[in-house]
């Protein structure tokens, strides 16, 4: 089936030699990129829905609180599963636009469509590689993190090839989202620690 072949292409695009061959060929259109992201989003949604249902049913068995909210939880999971492919497209479109602008500032020569298209393949390839295992607690998360770290190398190859950038500038483009994510994580942890300390202080004062 053609859809199976498409998923295989996405998965194997994560292999550097395959990606380099892909980058040397004429890129697809914006429509092709949107289809790729939609396929990646659908795959993610299917396994997210399966994992969500299994986890909610399990929790409802061991906790009356979860049992009372089982129906609404399943509906929320179903709603997100339906919206996920559309969210994938919107989020990646915006993200690609931001990085594209930075790439241009650094002297990038590629087009938005080229960048968006190539990322639509490896991004969906990431979900082909990780979604099936996502339903396995702990193992799925660890595997996702490992593939996510490896994913930075194909990302580097795309920036370097599409925009004809030096190694240093391509690495900068890869690093920017990671640095922003790290800063946001520090802020989140700080806010959480502050909230816990404040709550502990209030509870201690009431004793």
């Amino acid at each position: 089936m053609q859809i199976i072949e498409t998923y295989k292409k996405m998965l194997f695009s994560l292999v550097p030699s395959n990606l380099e061959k892909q980058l040397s060929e004429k890129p697809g259109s914006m429509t092709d990129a949107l289809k790729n992201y939609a396929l990646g989003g659908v795959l993610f949604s299917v396994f997210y829905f399966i994992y969500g249902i299994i986890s909610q049913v399990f929790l409802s068995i061991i906790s009356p609180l979860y049992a009372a909210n089982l129906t609404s939880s399943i509906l929320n999971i179903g709603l997100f599963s339906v919206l996920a492919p559309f969210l994938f497209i919107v989020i990646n479109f915006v993200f690609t636009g931001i990085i594209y602008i930075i790439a241009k500032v650094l002297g990038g020569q590629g087009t938005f469509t080229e960048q968006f298209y190539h990322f639509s393949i490896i991004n969906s390839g990431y979900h082909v590689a990780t979604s099936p295992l996502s339903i396995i607690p702990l193992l799925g998360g660890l595997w996702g993190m490992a593939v996510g770290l490896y994913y930075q190398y194909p990302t580097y190859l795309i920036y370097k090839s599409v925009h004809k950038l030096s190694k240093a500038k391509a690495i900068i483009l890869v690093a920017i989202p990671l640095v922003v994510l790290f800063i946001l994580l520090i802020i989140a942890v700080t806010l959480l620690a502050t909230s816990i300390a404040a709550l502990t202080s209030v509870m201690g004062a009431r004793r």
Side-chain angles (χ1 to χ4, degrees), residues 70-105:
L70 180 60
T71 301
S72 61
S73 297
I74 290 177
L75 289 175
N76 289 333
I77 292 169
L79 177 61
F80 180 77
S81 298
V82 171
L83 294 176
F86 302 99
L87 293 174
F88 268 40
I89 292 173
V90 172
I91 292 172
N92 282 286
F93 189 89
V94 173
F95 178 78
T96 298
I98 294 172
I99 298 298
Y100 175 75
I101 293 173
I102 299 174
K104 283 297 182 182
V105 172

mmCIF file of all heavy atoms in Angstrom, residues 70-105:
data_model
loop_
_atom_site.group_PDB
_atom_site.id
_atom_site.type_symbol
_atom_site.label_atom_id
_atom_site.label_comp_id
_atom_site.label_asym_id
_atom_site.label_seq_id
_atom_site.Cartn_x
_atom_site.Cartn_y
_atom_site.Cartn_z
ATOM 1 N N LEU A 70 -14.368 8.777 34.175
ATOM 2 C CA LEU A 70 -13.871 7.985 33.051
ATOM 3 C C LEU A 70 -14.440 8.460 31.718
ATOM 4 O O LEU A 70 -13.703 8.630 30.742
ATOM 5 C CB LEU A 70 -14.212 6.504 33.260
ATOM 6 C CG LEU A 70 -13.755 5.551 32.142
ATOM 7 C CD1 LEU A 70 -12.243 5.610 31.988
ATOM 8 C CD2 LEU A 70 -14.212 4.126 32.445
ATOM 9 N N THR A 71 -15.742 8.701 31.671
ATOM 10 C CA THR A 71 -16.385 9.097 30.410
ATOM 11 C C THR A 71 -15.836 10.417 29.888
ATOM 12 O O THR A 71 -15.481 10.541 28.706
ATOM 13 C CB THR A 71 -17.910 9.225 30.592
ATOM 14 O OG1 THR A 71 -18.441 7.970 31.030
ATOM 15 C CG2 THR A 71 -18.569 9.612 29.271
ATOM 16 N N SER A 72 -15.747 11.410 30.773
ATOM 17 C CA SER A 72 -15.237 12.717 30.344
ATOM 18 C C SER A 72 -13.775 12.628 29.936
ATOM 19 O O SER A 72 -13.339 13.299 28.991
ATOM 20 C CB SER A 72 -15.407 13.752 31.463
ATOM 21 O OG SER A 72 -14.679 13.369 32.624
ATOM 22 N N SER A 73 -13.006 11.790 30.626
ATOM 23 C CA SER A 73 -11.586 11.617 30.282
ATOM 24 C C SER A 73 -11.430 11.016 28.887
ATOM 25 O O SER A 73 -10.599 11.456 28.093
ATOM 26 C CB SER A 73 -10.893 10.726 31.310
ATOM 27 O OG SER A 73 -10.896 11.325 32.592
ATOM 28 N N ILE A 74 -12.243 10.012 28.596
ATOM 29 C CA ILE A 74 -12.191 9.365 27.281
ATOM 30 C C ILE A 74 -12.598 10.340 26.182
ATOM 31 O O ILE A 74 -12.004 10.376 25.107
ATOM 32 C CB ILE A 74 -13.088 8.116 27.271
ATOM 33 C CG1 ILE A 74 -12.475 7.027 28.153
ATOM 34 C CG2 ILE A 74 -13.265 7.592 25.841
ATOM 35 C CD1 ILE A 74 -13.323 5.777 28.272
ATOM 36 N N LEU A 75 -13.606 11.159 26.466
ATOM 37 C CA LEU A 75 -14.044 12.163 25.485
ATOM 38 C C LEU A 75 -12.940 13.177 25.215
ATOM 39 O O LEU A 75 -12.715 13.583 24.062
ATOM 40 C CB LEU A 75 -15.307 12.872 25.982
ATOM 41 C CG LEU A 75 -16.592 12.043 25.979
ATOM 42 C CD1 LEU A 75 -17.740 12.828 26.623
ATOM 43 C CD2 LEU A 75 -16.964 11.647 24.545
ATOM 44 N N ASN A 76 -12.239 13.600 26.270
ATOM 45 C CA ASN A 76 -11.133 14.552 26.105
ATOM 46 C C ASN A 76 -9.996 13.946 25.294
ATOM 47 O O ASN A 76 -9.398 14.607 24.443
ATOM 48 C CB ASN A 76 -10.608 15.002 27.470
ATOM 49 C CG ASN A 76 -11.581 15.910 28.194
ATOM 50 O OD1 ASN A 76 -12.374 16.605 27.558
ATOM 51 N ND2 ASN A 76 -11.535 15.910 29.515
ATOM 52 N N ILE A 77 -9.706 12.676 25.571
ATOM 53 C CA ILE A 77 -8.663 11.973 24.821
ATOM 54 C C ILE A 77 -9.053 11.867 23.346
ATOM 55 O O ILE A 77 -8.237 12.097 22.449
ATOM 56 C CB ILE A 77 -8.426 10.567 25.412
ATOM 57 C CG1 ILE A 77 -7.788 10.685 26.799
ATOM 58 C CG2 ILE A 77 -7.535 9.729 24.495
ATOM 59 C CD1 ILE A 77 -7.749 9.383 27.562
ATOM 60 N N GLY A 78 -10.308 11.532 23.112
ATOM 61 C CA GLY A 78 -10.794 11.421 21.743
ATOM 62 C C GLY A 78 -10.741 12.744 21.006
ATOM 63 O O GLY A 78 -10.341 12.808 19.837
ATOM 64 N N LEU A 79 -11.112 13.824 21.700
ATOM 65 C CA LEU A 79 -11.103 15.154 21.090
ATOM 66 C C LEU A 79 -9.689 15.564 20.699
ATOM 67 O O LEU A 79 -9.455 16.059 19.589
ATOM 68 C CB LEU A 79 -11.703 16.178 22.047
ATOM 69 C CG LEU A 79 -11.705 17.650 21.575
ATOM 70 C CD1 LEU A 79 -12.529 17.783 20.302
ATOM 71 C CD2 LEU A 79 -12.252 18.553 22.672
ATOM 72 N N PHE A 80 -8.746 15.361 21.621
ATOM 73 C CA PHE A 80 -7.359 15.723 21.321
ATOM 74 C C PHE A 80 -6.810 14.874 20.181
ATOM 75 O O PHE A 80 -6.054 15.371 19.337
ATOM 76 C CB PHE A 80 -6.480 15.555 22.557
ATOM 77 C CG PHE A 80 -5.040 15.922 22.317
ATOM 78 C CD1 PHE A 80 -4.662 17.254 22.269
ATOM 79 C CD2 PHE A 80 -4.079 14.949 22.104
ATOM 80 C CE1 PHE A 80 -3.334 17.609 22.017
ATOM 81 C CE2 PHE A 80 -2.761 15.282 21.856
ATOM 82 C CZ PHE A 80 -2.386 16.620 21.813
ATOM 83 N N SER A 81 -7.200 13.600 20.155
ATOM 84 C CA SER A 81 -6.736 12.704 19.089
ATOM 85 C C SER A 81 -7.206 13.186 17.723
ATOM 86 O O SER A 81 -6.481 13.071 16.731
ATOM 87 C CB SER A 81 -7.238 11.277 19.337
ATOM 88 O OG SER A 81 -6.723 10.760 20.553
ATOM 89 N N VAL A 82 -8.409 13.734 17.676
ATOM 90 C CA VAL A 82 -8.952 14.247 16.409
ATOM 91 C C VAL A 82 -8.236 15.539 16.005
ATOM 92 O O VAL A 82 -7.931 15.765 14.824
ATOM 93 C CB VAL A 82 -10.471 14.501 16.531
ATOM 94 C CG1 VAL A 82 -10.993 15.245 15.303
ATOM 95 C CG2 VAL A 82 -11.212 13.184 16.702
ATOM 96 N N LEU A 83 -7.943 16.385 16.997
ATOM 97 C CA LEU A 83 -7.339 17.688 16.713
ATOM 98 C C LEU A 83 -5.831 17.613 16.466
ATOM 99 O O LEU A 83 -5.264 18.513 15.841
ATOM 100 C CB LEU A 83 -7.599 18.654 17.878
ATOM 101 C CG LEU A 83 -9.054 19.066 18.114
ATOM 102 C CD1 LEU A 83 -9.144 19.949 19.353
ATOM 103 C CD2 LEU A 83 -9.613 19.793 16.898
ATOM 104 N N ALA A 84 -5.183 16.559 16.958
ATOM 105 C CA ALA A 84 -3.723 16.463 16.901
ATOM 106 C C ALA A 84 -3.124 16.673 15.513
ATOM 107 O O ALA A 84 -2.162 17.441 15.368
ATOM 108 C CB ALA A 84 -3.258 15.129 17.478
ATOM 109 N N PRO A 85 -3.648 16.035 14.448
ATOM 110 C CA PRO A 85 -3.056 16.255 13.124
ATOM 111 C C PRO A 85 -3.084 17.720 12.694
ATOM 112 O O PRO A 85 -2.136 18.213 12.079
ATOM 113 C CB PRO A 85 -3.930 15.393 12.199
ATOM 114 C CG PRO A 85 -4.441 14.301 13.092
ATOM 115 C CD PRO A 85 -4.689 14.989 14.409
ATOM 116 N N PHE A 86 -4.170 18.412 13.017
ATOM 117 C CA PHE A 86 -4.268 19.834 12.667
ATOM 118 C C PHE A 86 -3.287 20.664 13.501
ATOM 119 O O PHE A 86 -2.654 21.596 12.989
ATOM 120 C CB PHE A 86 -5.700 20.332 12.891
ATOM 121 C CG PHE A 86 -6.734 19.576 12.108
ATOM 122 C CD1 PHE A 86 -7.489 18.571 12.702
ATOM 123 C CD2 PHE A 86 -6.940 19.839 10.760
ATOM 124 C CE1 PHE A 86 -8.433 17.862 11.975
ATOM 125 C CE2 PHE A 86 -7.883 19.138 10.025
ATOM 126 C CZ PHE A 86 -8.630 18.141 10.633
ATOM 127 N N LEU A 87 -3.166 20.309 14.785
ATOM 128 C CA LEU A 87 -2.228 21.016 15.653
ATOM 129 C C LEU A 87 -0.795 20.804 15.185
ATOM 130 O O LEU A 87 0.027 21.729 15.242
ATOM 131 C CB LEU A 87 -2.389 20.533 17.096
ATOM 132 C CG LEU A 87 -3.718 20.871 17.779
ATOM 133 C CD1 LEU A 87 -3.807 20.206 19.150
ATOM 134 C CD2 LEU A 87 -3.879 22.375 17.910
ATOM 135 N N PHE A 88 -0.478 19.605 14.729
ATOM 136 C CA PHE A 88 0.851 19.308 14.216
ATOM 137 C C PHE A 88 1.203 20.253 13.073
ATOM 138 O O PHE A 88 2.301 20.808 13.020
ATOM 139 C CB PHE A 88 0.909 17.860 13.710
ATOM 140 C CG PHE A 88 1.355 16.871 14.733
ATOM 141 C CD1 PHE A 88 0.913 16.969 16.046
ATOM 142 C CD2 PHE A 88 2.201 15.833 14.406
ATOM 143 C CE1 PHE A 88 1.310 16.060 17.005
ATOM 144 C CE2 PHE A 88 2.610 14.911 15.357
ATOM 145 C CZ PHE A 88 2.157 15.035 16.664
ATOM 146 N N ILE A 89 0.262 20.423 12.163
ATOM 147 C CA ILE A 89 0.504 21.274 11.002
ATOM 148 C C ILE A 89 0.725 22.725 11.427
ATOM 149 O O ILE A 89 1.683 23.375 11.004
ATOM 150 C CB ILE A 89 -0.672 21.176 10.017
ATOM 151 C CG1 ILE A 89 -0.719 19.782 9.384
ATOM 152 C CG2 ILE A 89 -0.551 22.246 8.930
ATOM 153 C CD1 ILE A 89 -1.944 19.529 8.527
ATOM 154 N N VAL A 90 -0.152 23.228 12.285
ATOM 155 C CA VAL A 90 -0.076 24.630 12.708
ATOM 156 C C VAL A 90 1.204 24.898 13.480
ATOM 157 O O VAL A 90 1.932 25.865 13.195
ATOM 158 C CB VAL A 90 -1.300 25.005 13.574
ATOM 159 C CG1 VAL A 90 -1.123 26.405 14.167
ATOM 160 C CG2 VAL A 90 -2.574 24.942 12.742
ATOM 161 N N ILE A 91 1.499 24.041 14.475
ATOM 162 C CA ILE A 91 2.685 24.244 15.312
ATOM 163 C C ILE A 91 3.966 24.176 14.480
ATOM 164 O O ILE A 91 4.861 25.026 14.624
ATOM 165 C CB ILE A 91 2.724 23.197 16.450
ATOM 166 C CG1 ILE A 91 1.583 23.454 17.437
ATOM 167 C CG2 ILE A 91 4.078 23.227 17.161
ATOM 168 C CD1 ILE A 91 1.410 22.377 18.476
ATOM 169 N N ASN A 92 4.056 23.193 13.599
ATOM 170 C CA ASN A 92 5.270 23.051 12.793
ATOM 171 C C ASN A 92 5.388 24.153 11.748
ATOM 172 O O ASN A 92 6.508 24.568 11.413
ATOM 173 C CB ASN A 92 5.300 21.675 12.114
ATOM 174 C CG ASN A 92 5.725 20.578 13.063
ATOM 175 O OD1 ASN A 92 6.888 20.465 13.418
ATOM 176 N ND2 ASN A 92 4.772 19.756 13.489
ATOM 177 N N PHE A 93 4.261 24.647 11.255
ATOM 178 C CA PHE A 93 4.286 25.760 10.304
ATOM 179 C C PHE A 93 4.865 27.011 10.973
ATOM 180 O O PHE A 93 5.727 27.687 10.413
ATOM 181 C CB PHE A 93 2.875 26.039 9.785
ATOM 182 C CG PHE A 93 2.823 27.026 8.655
ATOM 183 C CD1 PHE A 93 2.937 26.599 7.339
ATOM 184 C CD2 PHE A 93 2.651 28.382 8.893
ATOM 185 C CE1 PHE A 93 2.900 27.505 6.282
ATOM 186 C CE2 PHE A 93 2.615 29.298 7.861
ATOM 187 C CZ PHE A 93 2.734 28.861 6.554
ATOM 188 N N VAL A 94 4.381 27.288 12.178
ATOM 189 C CA VAL A 94 4.858 28.462 12.916
ATOM 190 C C VAL A 94 6.326 28.300 13.288
ATOM 191 O O VAL A 94 7.138 29.225 13.115
ATOM 192 C CB VAL A 94 4.005 28.700 14.181
ATOM 193 C CG1 VAL A 94 4.611 29.807 15.045
ATOM 194 C CG2 VAL A 94 2.572 29.043 13.804
ATOM 195 N N PHE A 95 6.681 27.124 13.803
ATOM 196 C CA PHE A 95 8.058 26.875 14.214
ATOM 197 C C PHE A 95 9.014 26.989 13.025
ATOM 198 O O PHE A 95 10.092 27.603 13.122
ATOM 199 C CB PHE A 95 8.178 25.485 14.839
ATOM 200 C CG PHE A 95 9.576 25.121 15.262
ATOM 201 C CD1 PHE A 95 10.111 25.633 16.428
ATOM 202 C CD2 PHE A 95 10.356 24.279 14.477
ATOM 203 C CE1 PHE A 95 11.404 25.305 16.820
ATOM 204 C CE2 PHE A 95 11.646 23.953 14.855
ATOM 205 C CZ PHE A 95 12.169 24.473 16.027
ATOM 206 N N THR A 96 8.618 26.396 11.891
ATOM 207 C CA THR A 96 9.452 26.471 10.693
ATOM 208 C C THR A 96 9.637 27.922 10.260
ATOM 209 O O THR A 96 10.731 28.333 9.851
ATOM 210 C CB THR A 96 8.819 25.670 9.541
ATOM 211 O OG1 THR A 96 8.726 24.296 9.909
ATOM 212 C CG2 THR A 96 9.667 25.781 8.270
ATOM 213 N N GLY A 97 8.560 28.709 10.375
ATOM 214 C CA GLY A 97 8.638 30.115 9.998
ATOM 215 C C GLY A 97 9.634 30.892 10.848
ATOM 216 O O GLY A 97 10.418 31.695 10.328
ATOM 217 N N ILE A 98 9.620 30.623 12.147
ATOM 218 C CA ILE A 98 10.539 31.317 13.055
ATOM 219 C C ILE A 98 11.991 30.961 12.741
ATOM 220 O O ILE A 98 12.855 31.835 12.614
ATOM 221 C CB ILE A 98 10.216 30.970 14.519
ATOM 222 C CG1 ILE A 98 8.834 31.521 14.900
ATOM 223 C CG2 ILE A 98 11.290 31.522 15.466
ATOM 224 C CD1 ILE A 98 8.336 31.070 16.249
ATOM 225 N N ILE A 99 12.257 29.662 12.589
ATOM 226 C CA ILE A 99 13.624 29.221 12.293
ATOM 227 C C ILE A 99 14.051 29.679 10.898
ATOM 228 O O ILE A 99 15.221 30.018 10.677
ATOM 229 C CB ILE A 99 13.736 27.686 12.409
ATOM 230 C CG1 ILE A 99 13.432 27.234 13.839
ATOM 231 C CG2 ILE A 99 15.133 27.220 11.999
ATOM 232 C CD1 ILE A 99 14.398 27.770 14.878
ATOM 233 N N TYR A 100 13.097 29.725 9.979
ATOM 234 C CA TYR A 100 13.407 30.183 8.620
ATOM 235 C C TYR A 100 13.893 31.628 8.636
ATOM 236 O O TYR A 100 14.867 31.978 7.950
ATOM 237 C CB TYR A 100 12.168 30.050 7.736
ATOM 238 C CG TYR A 100 12.345 30.610 6.343
ATOM 239 C CD1 TYR A 100 13.093 29.915 5.391
ATOM 240 C CD2 TYR A 100 11.786 31.826 5.989
ATOM 241 C CE1 TYR A 100 13.266 30.431 4.118
ATOM 242 C CE2 TYR A 100 11.958 32.352 4.718
ATOM 243 C CZ TYR A 100 12.694 31.654 3.780
ATOM 244 O OH TYR A 100 12.864 32.173 2.524
ATOM 245 N N ILE A 101 13.234 32.462 9.422
ATOM 246 C CA ILE A 101 13.641 33.868 9.529
ATOM 247 C C ILE A 101 15.051 33.978 10.100
ATOM 248 O O ILE A 101 15.888 34.743 9.604
ATOM 249 C CB ILE A 101 12.645 34.648 10.408
ATOM 250 C CG1 ILE A 101 11.286 34.742 9.704
ATOM 251 C CG2 ILE A 101 13.173 36.052 10.731
ATOM 252 C CD1 ILE A 101 10.185 35.336 10.567
ATOM 253 N N ILE A 102 15.328 33.185 11.139
ATOM 254 C CA ILE A 102 16.669 33.198 11.743
ATOM 255 C C ILE A 102 17.709 32.704 10.741
ATOM 256 O O ILE A 102 18.815 33.245 10.650
ATOM 257 C CB ILE A 102 16.693 32.329 13.017
ATOM 258 C CG1 ILE A 102 15.716 32.878 14.055
ATOM 259 C CG2 ILE A 102 18.108 32.274 13.596
ATOM 260 C CD1 ILE A 102 15.567 32.004 15.279
ATOM 261 N N ALA A 103 17.340 31.661 9.974
ATOM 262 C CA ALA A 103 18.261 31.130 8.958
ATOM 263 C C ALA A 103 18.589 32.193 7.921
ATOM 264 O O ALA A 103 19.744 32.317 7.483
ATOM 265 C CB ALA A 103 17.635 29.911 8.281
ATOM 266 N N LYS A 104 17.599 32.984 7.540
ATOM 267 C CA LYS A 104 17.821 34.058 6.566
ATOM 268 C C LYS A 104 18.764 35.121 7.134
ATOM 269 O O LYS A 104 19.621 35.659 6.425
ATOM 270 C CB LYS A 104 16.488 34.688 6.168
ATOM 271 C CG LYS A 104 15.678 33.858 5.195
ATOM 272 C CD LYS A 104 16.419 33.691 3.883
ATOM 273 C CE LYS A 104 15.647 32.923 2.867
ATOM 274 N NZ LYS A 104 16.392 32.725 1.587
ATOM 275 N N VAL A 105 18.590 35.413 8.419
ATOM 276 C CA VAL A 105 19.475 36.383 9.076
ATOM 277 C C VAL A 105 20.916 35.874 9.054
ATOM 278 O O VAL A 105 21.867 36.661 8.911
ATOM 279 C CB VAL A 105 19.021 36.637 10.534
ATOM 280 C CG1 VAL A 105 20.037 37.477 11.282
ATOM 281 C CG2 VAL A 105 17.653 37.317 10.548
#
